[in-house]
mmCIF file of all heavy atoms in Angstrom:
data_model
loop_
_atom_site.group_PDB
_atom_site.id
_atom_site.type_symbol
_atom_site.label_atom_id
_atom_site.label_comp_id
_atom_site.label_asym_id
_atom_site.label_seq_id
_atom_site.Cartn_x
_atom_site.Cartn_y
_atom_site.Cartn_z
ATOM 1 N N ALA A 346 -51.570 -7.476 -10.042
ATOM 2 C CA ALA A 346 -50.254 -7.626 -10.675
ATOM 3 C C ALA A 346 -50.334 -7.367 -12.177
ATOM 4 O O ALA A 346 -49.482 -6.684 -12.751
ATOM 5 C CB ALA A 346 -49.708 -9.027 -10.409
ATOM 6 N N ASP A 347 -51.385 -7.895 -12.822
ATOM 7 C CA ASP A 347 -51.560 -7.667 -14.261
ATOM 8 C C ASP A 347 -51.767 -6.187 -14.560
ATOM 9 O O ASP A 347 -51.195 -5.637 -15.505
ATOM 10 C CB ASP A 347 -52.757 -8.461 -14.785
ATOM 11 C CG ASP A 347 -52.447 -9.939 -14.947
ATOM 12 O OD1 ASP A 347 -51.267 -10.308 -14.828
ATOM 13 O OD2 ASP A 347 -53.383 -10.725 -15.179
ATOM 14 N N ARG A 348 -52.598 -5.526 -13.736
ATOM 15 C CA ARG A 348 -52.842 -4.101 -13.943
ATOM 16 C C ARG A 348 -51.569 -3.287 -13.732
ATOM 17 O O ARG A 348 -51.351 -2.272 -14.408
ATOM 18 C CB ARG A 348 -53.957 -3.607 -13.013
ATOM 19 C CG ARG A 348 -55.355 -3.939 -13.517
ATOM 20 C CD ARG A 348 -56.420 -3.452 -12.561
ATOM 21 N NE ARG A 348 -56.648 -4.414 -11.488
ATOM 22 C CZ ARG A 348 -57.379 -4.161 -10.407
ATOM 23 N NH1 ARG A 348 -57.936 -2.971 -10.244
ATOM 24 N NH2 ARG A 348 -57.554 -5.083 -9.492
ATOM 25 N N THR A 349 -50.728 -3.730 -12.812
ATOM 26 C CA THR A 349 -49.456 -3.026 -12.575
ATOM 27 C C THR A 349 -48.566 -3.090 -13.811
ATOM 28 O O THR A 349 -47.951 -2.096 -14.217
ATOM 29 C CB THR A 349 -48.714 -3.646 -11.370
ATOM 30 O OG1 THR A 349 -49.549 -3.570 -10.215
ATOM 31 C CG2 THR A 349 -47.411 -2.907 -11.099
ATOM 32 N N VAL A 350 -48.514 -4.265 -14.443
ATOM 33 C CA VAL A 350 -47.690 -4.413 -15.650
ATOM 34 C C VAL A 350 -48.278 -3.620 -16.808
ATOM 35 O O VAL A 350 -47.549 -2.984 -17.583
ATOM 36 C CB VAL A 350 -47.559 -5.905 -16.023
ATOM 37 C CG1 VAL A 350 -46.841 -6.062 -17.362
ATOM 38 C CG2 VAL A 350 -46.800 -6.655 -14.942
ATOM 39 N N ILE A 351 -49.616 -3.642 -16.958
ATOM 40 C CA ILE A 351 -50.268 -2.863 -18.020
ATOM 41 C C ILE A 351 -49.968 -1.378 -17.830
ATOM 42 O O ILE A 351 -49.706 -0.646 -18.786
ATOM 43 C CB ILE A 351 -51.788 -3.121 -18.037
ATOM 44 C CG1 ILE A 351 -52.082 -4.585 -18.364
ATOM 45 C CG2 ILE A 351 -52.480 -2.227 -19.060
ATOM 46 C CD1 ILE A 351 -53.542 -4.981 -18.181
ATOM 47 N N TRP A 352 -50.024 -0.921 -16.576
ATOM 48 C CA TRP A 352 -49.725 0.485 -16.264
ATOM 49 C C TRP A 352 -48.279 0.826 -16.625
ATOM 50 O O TRP A 352 -48.025 1.783 -17.357
ATOM 51 C CB TRP A 352 -49.974 0.742 -14.776
ATOM 52 C CG TRP A 352 -49.382 2.018 -14.254
ATOM 53 C CD1 TRP A 352 -49.756 3.277 -14.586
ATOM 54 C CD2 TRP A 352 -48.304 2.144 -13.316
ATOM 55 N NE1 TRP A 352 -48.976 4.206 -13.910
ATOM 56 C CE2 TRP A 352 -48.080 3.528 -13.120
ATOM 57 C CE3 TRP A 352 -47.518 1.230 -12.619
ATOM 58 C CZ2 TRP A 352 -47.089 4.008 -12.267
ATOM 59 C CZ3 TRP A 352 -46.542 1.701 -11.753
ATOM 60 C CH2 TRP A 352 -46.343 3.086 -11.589
ATOM 61 N N TRP A 353 -47.333 0.032 -16.150
ATOM 62 C CA TRP A 353 -45.919 0.341 -16.390
ATOM 63 C C TRP A 353 -45.516 0.048 -17.830
ATOM 64 O O TRP A 353 -44.607 0.671 -18.372
ATOM 65 C CB TRP A 353 -45.041 -0.456 -15.427
ATOM 66 C CG TRP A 353 -43.587 -0.084 -15.475
ATOM 67 C CD1 TRP A 353 -42.573 -0.789 -16.054
ATOM 68 C CD2 TRP A 353 -42.988 1.092 -14.934
ATOM 69 N NE1 TRP A 353 -41.375 -0.132 -15.896
ATOM 70 C CE2 TRP A 353 -41.602 1.025 -15.213
ATOM 71 C CE3 TRP A 353 -43.483 2.208 -14.247
ATOM 72 C CZ2 TRP A 353 -40.709 2.025 -14.827
ATOM 73 C CZ3 TRP A 353 -42.591 3.193 -13.852
ATOM 74 C CH2 TRP A 353 -41.225 3.095 -14.146
ATOM 75 N N GLY A 354 -46.190 -0.897 -18.465
ATOM 76 C CA GLY A 354 -45.811 -1.291 -19.823
ATOM 77 C C GLY A 354 -46.426 -0.435 -20.910
ATOM 78 O O GLY A 354 -46.363 -0.809 -22.089
ATOM 79 N N GLY A 355 -46.993 0.712 -20.533
ATOM 80 C CA GLY A 355 -47.604 1.580 -21.544
ATOM 81 C C GLY A 355 -46.572 2.436 -22.248
ATOM 82 O O GLY A 355 -46.511 3.658 -22.054
ATOM 83 N N LEU A 356 -45.752 1.814 -23.066
ATOM 84 C CA LEU A 356 -44.698 2.539 -23.786
ATOM 85 C C LEU A 356 -45.306 3.402 -24.894
ATOM 86 O O LEU A 356 -46.358 3.106 -25.442
ATOM 87 C CB LEU A 356 -43.693 1.560 -24.399
ATOM 88 C CG LEU A 356 -43.105 0.493 -23.475
ATOM 89 C CD1 LEU A 356 -42.065 -0.330 -24.225
ATOM 90 C CD2 LEU A 356 -42.504 1.108 -22.238
ATOM 91 N N ARG A 357 -44.604 4.474 -25.206
ATOM 92 C CA ARG A 357 -44.962 5.316 -26.350
ATOM 93 C C ARG A 357 -43.859 5.209 -27.393
ATOM 94 O O ARG A 357 -42.711 4.975 -27.051
ATOM 95 C CB ARG A 357 -45.125 6.779 -25.925
ATOM 96 C CG ARG A 357 -46.510 7.140 -25.402
ATOM 97 C CD ARG A 357 -46.861 6.475 -24.111
ATOM 98 N NE ARG A 357 -48.095 7.013 -23.531
ATOM 99 C CZ ARG A 357 -48.658 6.538 -22.441
ATOM 100 N NH1 ARG A 357 -48.124 5.517 -21.799
ATOM 101 N NH2 ARG A 357 -49.771 7.078 -21.971
ATOM 102 N N GLY A 358 -44.229 5.405 -28.665
ATOM 103 C CA GLY A 358 -43.219 5.246 -29.702
ATOM 104 C C GLY A 358 -43.533 5.978 -30.980
ATOM 105 O O GLY A 358 -43.795 7.177 -30.974
ATOM 106 N N SER A 359 -43.552 5.235 -32.085
ATOM 107 C CA SER A 359 -43.613 5.833 -33.414
ATOM 108 C C SER A 359 -44.889 6.633 -33.649
ATOM 109 O O SER A 359 -44.865 7.671 -34.310
ATOM 110 C CB SER A 359 -43.490 4.743 -34.484
ATOM 111 O OG SER A 359 -44.509 3.774 -34.306
ATOM 112 N N VAL A 360 -46.018 6.166 -33.118
ATOM 113 C CA VAL A 360 -47.275 6.875 -33.348
ATOM 114 C C VAL A 360 -47.236 8.247 -32.680
ATOM 115 O O VAL A 360 -47.636 9.256 -33.271
ATOM 116 C CB VAL A 360 -48.472 6.054 -32.819
ATOM 117 C CG1 VAL A 360 -49.750 6.858 -32.912
ATOM 118 C CG2 VAL A 360 -48.602 4.754 -33.606
ATOM 119 N N SER A 361 -46.745 8.309 -31.449
ATOM 120 C CA SER A 361 -46.650 9.594 -30.740
ATOM 121 C C SER A 361 -45.733 10.560 -31.483
ATOM 122 O O SER A 361 -46.044 11.744 -31.638
ATOM 123 C CB SER A 361 -46.115 9.363 -29.318
ATOM 124 O OG SER A 361 -47.032 8.604 -28.563
ATOM 125 N N ILE A 362 -44.593 10.054 -31.948
ATOM 126 C CA ILE A 362 -43.655 10.901 -32.678
ATOM 127 C C ILE A 362 -44.267 11.388 -33.981
ATOM 128 O O ILE A 362 -44.164 12.569 -34.350
ATOM 129 C CB ILE A 362 -42.343 10.133 -32.936
ATOM 130 C CG1 ILE A 362 -41.560 9.989 -31.631
ATOM 131 C CG2 ILE A 362 -41.490 10.834 -33.989
ATOM 132 C CD1 ILE A 362 -40.281 9.217 -31.754
ATOM 133 N N ALA A 363 -44.926 10.476 -34.701
ATOM 134 C CA ALA A 363 -45.535 10.862 -35.980
ATOM 135 C C ALA A 363 -46.622 11.908 -35.782
ATOM 136 O O ALA A 363 -46.746 12.854 -36.577
ATOM 137 C CB ALA A 363 -46.105 9.627 -36.685
ATOM 138 N N LEU A 364 -47.422 11.781 -34.725
ATOM 139 C CA LEU A 364 -48.468 12.768 -34.459
ATOM 140 C C LEU A 364 -47.859 14.129 -34.134
ATOM 141 O O LEU A 364 -48.331 15.163 -34.626
ATOM 142 C CB LEU A 364 -49.353 12.303 -33.300
ATOM 143 C CG LEU A 364 -50.305 11.129 -33.594
ATOM 144 C CD1 LEU A 364 -51.036 10.709 -32.334
ATOM 145 C CD2 LEU A 364 -51.284 11.486 -34.700
ATOM 146 N N ALA A 365 -46.825 14.122 -33.299
ATOM 147 C CA ALA A 365 -46.184 15.395 -32.944
ATOM 148 C C ALA A 365 -45.592 16.076 -34.175
ATOM 149 O O ALA A 365 -45.716 17.294 -34.359
ATOM 150 C CB ALA A 365 -45.098 15.162 -31.894
ATOM 151 N N LEU A 366 -44.945 15.301 -35.033
ATOM 152 C CA LEU A 366 -44.323 15.870 -36.227
ATOM 153 C C LEU A 366 -45.363 16.338 -37.251
ATOM 154 O O LEU A 366 -45.041 17.130 -38.140
ATOM 155 C CB LEU A 366 -43.392 14.843 -36.875
ATOM 156 C CG LEU A 366 -42.118 14.503 -36.091
ATOM 157 C CD1 LEU A 366 -41.377 13.346 -36.747
ATOM 158 C CD2 LEU A 366 -41.199 15.711 -35.987
ATOM 159 N N SER A 367 -46.597 15.826 -37.130
ATOM 160 C CA SER A 367 -47.628 16.213 -38.088
ATOM 161 C C SER A 367 -48.340 17.512 -37.712
ATOM 162 O O SER A 367 -49.233 17.949 -38.434
ATOM 163 C CB SER A 367 -48.666 15.087 -38.223
ATOM 164 O OG SER A 367 -49.371 14.905 -37.013
ATOM 165 N N VAL A 368 -47.960 18.117 -36.580
ATOM 166 C CA VAL A 368 -48.517 19.426 -36.229
ATOM 167 C C VAL A 368 -48.124 20.413 -37.325
ATOM 168 O O VAL A 368 -46.956 20.495 -37.717
ATOM 169 C CB VAL A 368 -47.978 19.912 -34.859
ATOM 170 C CG1 VAL A 368 -48.456 21.338 -34.566
ATOM 171 C CG2 VAL A 368 -48.423 18.968 -33.759
ATOM 172 N N PRO A 369 -49.082 21.177 -37.872
ATOM 173 C CA PRO A 369 -48.773 22.095 -38.981
ATOM 174 C C PRO A 369 -47.668 23.094 -38.641
ATOM 175 O O PRO A 369 -47.523 23.505 -37.480
ATOM 176 C CB PRO A 369 -50.113 22.818 -39.203
ATOM 177 C CG PRO A 369 -51.149 21.891 -38.666
ATOM 178 C CD PRO A 369 -50.514 21.184 -37.512
ATOM 179 N N GLU A 370 -46.894 23.445 -39.652
ATOM 180 C CA GLU A 370 -45.781 24.386 -39.470
ATOM 181 C C GLU A 370 -46.263 25.740 -38.942
ATOM 182 O O GLU A 370 -45.527 26.437 -38.244
ATOM 183 C CB GLU A 370 -45.055 24.596 -40.812
ATOM 184 C CG GLU A 370 -44.386 23.349 -41.370
ATOM 185 C CD GLU A 370 -43.052 23.066 -40.717
ATOM 186 O OE1 GLU A 370 -42.600 23.911 -39.931
ATOM 187 O OE2 GLU A 370 -42.468 21.997 -40.988
ATOM 188 N N VAL A 371 -47.489 26.126 -39.272
ATOM 189 C CA VAL A 371 -47.996 27.439 -38.866
ATOM 190 C C VAL A 371 -48.363 27.490 -37.388
ATOM 191 O O VAL A 371 -48.622 28.565 -36.848
ATOM 192 C CB VAL A 371 -49.234 27.828 -39.708
ATOM 193 C CG1 VAL A 371 -48.861 27.942 -41.168
ATOM 194 C CG2 VAL A 371 -50.369 26.813 -39.519
ATOM 195 N N PHE A 372 -48.403 26.306 -36.743
ATOM 196 C CA PHE A 372 -48.818 26.272 -35.344
ATOM 197 C C PHE A 372 -47.744 26.893 -34.457
ATOM 198 O O PHE A 372 -46.567 26.537 -34.563
ATOM 199 C CB PHE A 372 -49.084 24.838 -34.906
ATOM 200 C CG PHE A 372 -49.888 24.732 -33.643
ATOM 201 C CD1 PHE A 372 -51.270 24.717 -33.698
ATOM 202 C CD2 PHE A 372 -49.270 24.673 -32.407
ATOM 203 C CE1 PHE A 372 -52.032 24.628 -32.544
ATOM 204 C CE2 PHE A 372 -50.014 24.589 -31.249
ATOM 205 C CZ PHE A 372 -51.402 24.567 -31.317
#
Side-chain angles (χ1 to χ4, degrees):
D347 284 350
R348 280 179 276 170
T349 302
V350 174
I351 297 171
W352 165 67
W353 187 255
L356 309 184
R357 274 67 171 176
S359 57
V360 173
S361 295
I362 288 178
L364 288 176
L366 291 173
S367 65
V368 174
E370 296 280 353
V371 298
F372 197 88

